[in-house]
Amino acid sequence: MPTHALTKALAARLDELKRAGRLKGKESVICGFIPARGGDGPRYLVEGEGDKPFLRMNSNSYLGMSLRSEVVASEEAAVGSYGVGPGAVRFIGGTWSPHVALERRLAAFHRRPAAILFSSAYATVMGLIPPLVTDSTAVISDELNHNCIINAIALARPAEKCIYKHLDMGELERRLDAAAKSCNRAIIVTDGVFSMRGDHAPLDRIIALARTYDGAFAENAIVIVDDSHGVGALGATGRGAEENTQSAPADLLVATLGKALGVNGGYAVAEELVIQYLRETSPFYIFSNPITPAEAAAAHQALDILDSPAGLALLAHLREMTTRFRKGLVKLGFETLPGEHPIVPLLTRDSARTLALVAHLRQRSVLVTGLTYPVVPRGDEEIRFQISADHTPADVDAALVALAEFRPNE
């Protein structure tokens, strides 16, 4: 079938993205790693860079679980027992015992009655919001929510879509009050931790506000939280933004197995009937293969580590390294945002400066992610550093030395 007209149109669109500064371009290819040694954390090899070792400061693996020997051994053992893939969606081929065991463990960890696994946290959000939206539902969303929430709301087509200013509880209340006049159900949806800035939602206030307005809606005002960056990285025991704000439980809590837990997949925890309803109505669950049984076993092992004295030690070290890096940025005169999360933004306020700093750090063997306009608003350009429990004091200091050597006109 001829596609020359299509490819011409696609090429034009790519050119348009490039001119707008939205083209992501070639991805770095990680082709190996060097284990921690001599006071340094792990280093990574990048295709095209020979044997030059890189310090990764752009990974969501906040606890370093993907490299832990116990987690790797659990996955390898499960591959021997169950093979490398699930073979079918769960309602057709049946499910595997590691999936069921992991769902029970996740529910217990979050102190909820039930849990449901999806192929990713993105699929989880896309799979649970539309089935919960009716033609008399208002969805009320923070303006800085993740792309998966934005797309899930668009797919759901609620009766009313309301966006409130970032963390503005006054506007959230006004949106709830207005929605109560025309809708039977309200869904407040927010990130637990916002991935671009590392700040977190005041879940204690959001959930209290929802409870206040519960009686104004015939089918309640419910709260959905995507805490993919929070679970395993925030809170005294790694239970995320809920623990950090000492909030009541969200009605639906979404998180990922692919960040702090180091594996792959997403999940939600809630009341038993809600989870049962999602198993029967969510296309992202019904018609998509689950994660592999081996991934489920590895995630179970990672969760067991997190929920143990070893996990508390990892969290303590993560907090220490985060504080060390944030204080170092301030001492060097860089602008950052206060916070406890291991996402530490360095605000450059300029796209050209952002790109120059990313290139400078790469030349000095530090991998980071730059966020420029229009990915972020003009004036909010930044380097997003992500600290990991894999990092050592020497790693943090090496990154700070590289930053200190930056000269904007070099």
Side-chain angles (χ1 to χ4, degrees), residues 139-189:
V139 178
I140 308 173
S141 175
D142 189 291
E143 68 177 340
L144 293 190
N145 276 340
H146 191 269
N147 176 270
C148 63
I149 294 175
I150 295 168
N151 282 338
I153 295 170
L155 181 64
R157 294 185 292 181
E160 294 185 19
K161 179 183 77 171
C162 311
I163 309 299
Y164 62 93
K165 290 189 178 76
H166 185 50
L167 307 184
D168 189 330
M169 295 298 98
E171 185 173 3
L172 171 57
E173 182 167 10
R174 291 191 293 274
R175 296 290 192 180
L176 275 167
D177 191 64
K181 296 176 173 62
S182 57
C183 293
N184 292 332
R185 182 185 303 176
I187 296 175
I188 304 167
V189 59

Side-chain angles (χ1 to χ4, degrees), residues 257-282:
L257 306 171
K259 292 183 171 58
L261 294 179
V263 189
N264 185 41
Y267 64 92
V269 293
E271 293 295 323
E272 180 69 53
L273 192 139
V274 174
I275 297 301
Q276 180 184 349
Y277 175 78
L278 291 173
R279 290 192 199 278
E280 296 292 339
T281 61
S282 174

Side-chain angles (χ1 to χ4, degrees), residues 104-117:
R104 290 172 179 160
R105 186 67 178 88
L106 288 164
F109 179 76
H110 290 290
R111 304 183 181 100
R112 301 307 209 281
I116 180 172
L117 289 173

Side-chain angles (χ1 to χ4, degrees), residues 87-119:
V89 299
R90 289 171 71 168
F91 90 96
I92 289 177
T95 193
W96 295 82
S97 59
H99 296 133
V100 176
L102 177 57
E103 286 173 336
R104 290 172 179 160
R105 186 67 178 88
L106 288 164
F109 179 76
H110 290 290
R111 304 183 181 100
R112 301 307 209 281
I116 180 172
L117 289 173
F118 287 81
S119 58

Side-chain angles (χ1 to χ4, degrees), residues 290-339:
I291 61 174
T292 69
E295 287 173 322
H300 196 300
Q301 179 64 54
L303 190 61
D304 283 347
I305 295 169
L306 172 59
D307 197 22
S308 75
L312 294 178
L314 286 171
L315 288 164
H317 178 69
L318 177 62
R319 286 190 287 270
E320 183 183 339
M321 294 302 98
T322 300
T323 299
R324 186 186 189 99
F325 184 69
R326 187 174 266 111
K327 285 183 176 179
L329 287 184
V330 173
K331 187 175 181 179
L332 289 173
F334 289 105
E335 181 184 2
T336 186
L337 297 175

Side-chain angles (χ1 to χ4, degrees), residues 15 31 47 56 148 200 202 217 226 280 304 336 348 392:
D15 287 341
C31 54
E47 188 177 87
R56 289 181 80 194
C148 63
H200 62 269
F217 295 89
D226 180 354
E280 296 292 339
D304 283 347
T336 186
T348 60
T392 67

Side-chain angles (χ1 to χ4, degrees), residues 375-393:
V375 175
V376 294
R378 199 183 299 278
D380 284 350
E381 293 88 350
E382 67 175 73
I383 306 288
R384 183 176 72 174
F385 288 89
Q386 290 169 280
I387 308 303
S388 169
D390 266 346
H391 292 149
T392 67

